[in-house]
């Protein structure tokens, strides 16, 4: 292991000879105000092309870049959109959505910053985020309450948008309704003639936010029918799946909604290793419509999720920043459609 | 689609009635300096417990949080470690590494900020990053050159650390040697008696950073032997894999290193659908040691990658921040070990 030396006195931490806008002004032979106008692209003041060029060249020569923090202090606000890094394991679907969102916000001239606040919750997390003085905060998952929203707004955030299964007072909400995912899956199994439906609930931390509403949705789908829903806790590892498969017969189930495609692959393999036929002995459906489902034999049925468009969400953030007094918007953004293949 | 209203005049963008440290000082009946000492936990000045409590209570009541940017302007440096979001598709292995790194840097009191600079390269990207005045910058992948390092250092970054296949002048480097991955895979196939080895090269953008050295390593492994290496371009989609499998016989190959486990699953399925036996007609090995490889039949052989420890990397960052004049460190941090299962 590497040795961490004792930190030196704080004075020595200050960067040495960092070029300032005054240096640029001196080299270009203009005022500091002119440097600021040119480098911040202010349109309010007309500056001749040769002067502009001189300032840019001096900045390049000295290696000067404007200081975002100083600029936002002067302006009284920043263009920073803060996104706390999600506390749950992120799948490829979500990654793609985040990438699209960052691109769309970048086009509207916002700077998206992702920030991990490991192990902090609600108020405490909100205070950490507030220290960065973001103009907007986009919170995926849960973990932010009305008090956290208040802290953020009081520190100058003009928009707080949550992205998850529940709305929070004072914040805009993109509601991801995971009940519809479970509902669609169980309904499909019911329509295929199955009556004793298992629903996998991952044992991993952070996923109950998605698994609980999926289970609720599945129960709702077969309410007032002759079908039953059985909760099946399962960790993402082979041994637990083998144990579950070994007692499959005693459970009396004829179908399973396996939470998502990855858990479906895990459980389907364990069932097949036990000699059970898919879908004969057990119909299996996953969710997320990942590539791997198409590569399984039998091919995996799945629930395809339609994520919100990053462009729409970026537009909502921008709208909210320009009108912070507007009533919170609520949008339900998660679509769910069954893709029927061979496993169900 | 949502309508974006015309932005209002800039004045109205300033947050209204954001509480300041002066408000806190007034409510607590102390000086602004005292507020600053208490809320920034300065140990240089002794302040009585009752005063401390009064300041904290006033801050809570008003919803005041310190301004990180103002603090870093005063201090002349920040505790922000900037990590540009990687431009390549991120797998579960890499995600776990990043999570561990953020946790370790958090324990050393750094704030890790991830920042996407979509479509910008080298100098231009470095200037964007420099605007945030990070105390350290951690750059995964490539895309930063010596000039970018210079821009960052001139704007006050005390440490620049790259994380990828190549070292950059002026920056510390954690070298991820992907040649060893390809070398280990091809060596394994050779040792299993295979002589005509295909190496999958993904067609997806951003992956050549990893695939090119893996191919080079495979070639190196069989240099001066009677074995050959054939490059197999492949996109991550079923049709291309089926086409490659259909002409397998004409390629005259008896083994394949499939870039990683996901491409291995794709190609193995296509070969099996063509009626080819694994490993009889084609030995297959992946990389990354993902769970899915263990769920395939036959079970997938793979190259297990040992990522650097997030804790070691955090310690390197901290060391570099405290001694920015030290010569750049170079560490090779990627271990590769073959996990032999049934497919090879």
């Amino acid at each position: 292991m590497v040795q961490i030396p004792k930190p030196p006195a704080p004075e020595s931490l200050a960067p040495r000879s960092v070029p300032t806008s005054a240096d640029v002004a001196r080299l270009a032979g203009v005022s500091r105000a002119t440097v600021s106008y040119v480098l911040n692209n202010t349109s309010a003041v007309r500056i001749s092309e040769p002067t502009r060029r001189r300032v840019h060249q001096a900045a390049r020569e000295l290696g000067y870049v404007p200081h975002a923090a100083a600029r936002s202090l002067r302006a009284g606000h920043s263009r920073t959109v803060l996104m706390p890094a999600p506390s749950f394991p992120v799948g490829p679907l979500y990654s793609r959505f985040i990438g699209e969102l960052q691109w769309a916000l970048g086009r509207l001239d916002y700077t998206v910053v992702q920030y991990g606040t490991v192990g902090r919750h609600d108020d405490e997390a909100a205070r950490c985020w507030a220290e960065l003085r973001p103009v907007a905060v986009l919170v995926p998952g849960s973990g932010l309450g009305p008090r956290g929203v208040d802290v953020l707004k009081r520190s100058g955030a003009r928009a707080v948008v949550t992205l998850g299964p529940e709305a929070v007072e004072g914040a805009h909400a993109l509601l991801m309704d995971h009940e519809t995912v479970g509902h669609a899956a169980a309904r499909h199994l019911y329509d295929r003639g199955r009556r004793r439906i298992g629903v996998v609930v991952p044992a991993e931390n952070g996923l109950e936010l998605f698994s609980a509403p999926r289970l609720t949705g599945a129960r709702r789908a077969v309410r007032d029918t002759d079908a039953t829903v059985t909760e099946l806790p399962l960790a993402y590892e082979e041994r637990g799946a083998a144990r579950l498969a070994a007692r499959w017969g005693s459970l009396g189930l004829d179908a399973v909604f396996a939470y998502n495609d990855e858990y479906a692959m895990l459980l389907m393999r364990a069932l097949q290793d036990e000699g059970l036929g898919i879908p004969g002995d057990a119909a299996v459906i996953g969710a997320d419509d990942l590539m791997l489902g198409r590569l399984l034999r039998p091919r995996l049925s799945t629930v395809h999720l339609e994520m919100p468009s990053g462009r729409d969400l970026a537009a909502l953030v921008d709208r909210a920043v320009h009108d912070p007094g507007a009533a919170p918007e609520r949008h339900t953004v998660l679509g769910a459609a069954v893709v029927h293949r061979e496993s169900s």
Side-chain angles (χ1 to χ4, degrees), chain A:
Chain A
M1 256 298 292
V2 281
Q3 287 283 321
I4 305 173
K6 204 166 164 289
E11 292 78 37
S12 77
L13 276 174
R16 282 149 302 190
S17 68
V18 173
T20 66
S21 66
D23 299 328
V24 178
R26 210 170 302 122
L27 185 61
V30 300
S31 70
R32 277 188 69 177
T34 302
V35 170
S36 165
Y37 293 143
V38 171
L39 295 183
N40 293 313
N41 266 318
T42 311
S43 55
V45 183
R46 284 196 59 176
I47 290 167
S48 74
E49 218 20 71
T51 304
R52 255 178 219 288
R53 260 203 304 276
R54 230 164 47 236
V55 169
H56 280 295
Q57 199 184 324
R60 218 172 7 247
E61 217 164 282
L62 293 168
Y64 172 79
V65 287
H67 193 317
R71 189 165 52 200
S72 72
L73 277 179
R74 275 196 309 273
H77 65 92
S78 72
R79 294 293 288 180
T80 301
V81 175
L82 188 82
M83 274 193 77
S87 56
F88 46 85
V90 165
L93 208 66
Y94 188 83
S95 297
R96 202 177 326 133
F97 162 66
I98 295 292
E100 192 192 310
L101 173 64
Q102 294 197 330
W103 177 85
L105 281 168
R107 298 242 320 180
L108 294 171
D109 203 28
Y110 292 97
T111 298
V112 181
V113 151
Q114 278 190 61
Y115 183 23
T117 39
V118 185
R120 291 206 179 90
H121 291 287
D122 196 29
D123 291 28
E124 206 192 334
R127 269 193 297 275
C128 287
W129 304 337
E131 287 202 8
L132 297 175
R133 293 292 191 276
V135 72
V137 183
L138 244 166
V139 189
S142 68
L144 183 74
R147 284 185 47 184
V149 173
D150 194 53
V151 166
L152 288 168
K153 289 200 162 173
R154 286 222 234 174
S155 73
R158 298 170 63 84
V160 181
V161 183
T162 65
L163 210 91
E166 286 161 10
V168 179
E169 200 189 311
H172 301 277
L174 291 196
L175 291 164
M176 299 193 144
D177 178 10
H178 285 269
E179 276 197 38
T180 60
V181 179
H183 191 281
R187 188 77 226 175
H188 167 77
L189 294 172
Y190 184 87
D191 289 347
R192 304 291 303 163
R194 308 297 164 140
R195 292 297 176 266
R196 313 198 72 75
I197 300 170
V199 173
V200 167
V201 175
E204 279 71 23
N205 270 338
L207 294 180
E208 58 283 358
L209 201 64
F210 310 104
S211 61
R214 286 182 188 194
L215 178 62
T216 304
R219 288 197 198 285
R220 193 159 48 77
V222 299
R223 193 183 296 153
D224 304 323
T225 72
D226 55 336
T228 60
V229 160
T230 304
E231 186 177 340
L232 301 173
L234 178 63
Y236 193 61
E237 44 102 8
E238 282 178 281
R239 217 175 307 171
R243 271 197 304 269
L244 178 56
R247 63 191 185 91
W248 192 258
S250 67
L251 289 168
L253 301 175
D254 58 14
V256 61
F257 166 46
Y259 176 68
N260 72 10
D261 290 351
E262 287 170 300
Y263 283 83
M265 182 181 182
L266 173 69
L267 183 55
M268 199 161 116
R269 167 52 58 205
L271 293 170
Q272 287 174 318
D273 285 352
E274 271 291 314
L276 292 157
I278 312 286
D281 297 315
V284 179
I285 184 169
D288 286 357
D289 195 8
L290 299 186
M291 166 74 100
L292 62 82
R294 273 172 279 168
L295 301 178
L296 299 179
R297 297 294 178 268
R299 289 175 177 83
L300 181 66
S301 295
T302 190
V303 181
H304 179 86
L305 308 190
E306 281 148 31
M307 295 288 282
S309 117
R311 200 184 289 235
D312 286 356
L313 177 48
L316 166 62
V317 167
D318 195 49
R319 208 160 55 232
V321 164
H322 286 114
D323 188 7
E329 297 183 29
R330 302 263 181 281
H331 301 283
T332 300
V333 289
L334 196 67
V338 168
V339 180
H340 183 204
R341 297 198 187 105
E342 302 160 356
S343 68
S344 62

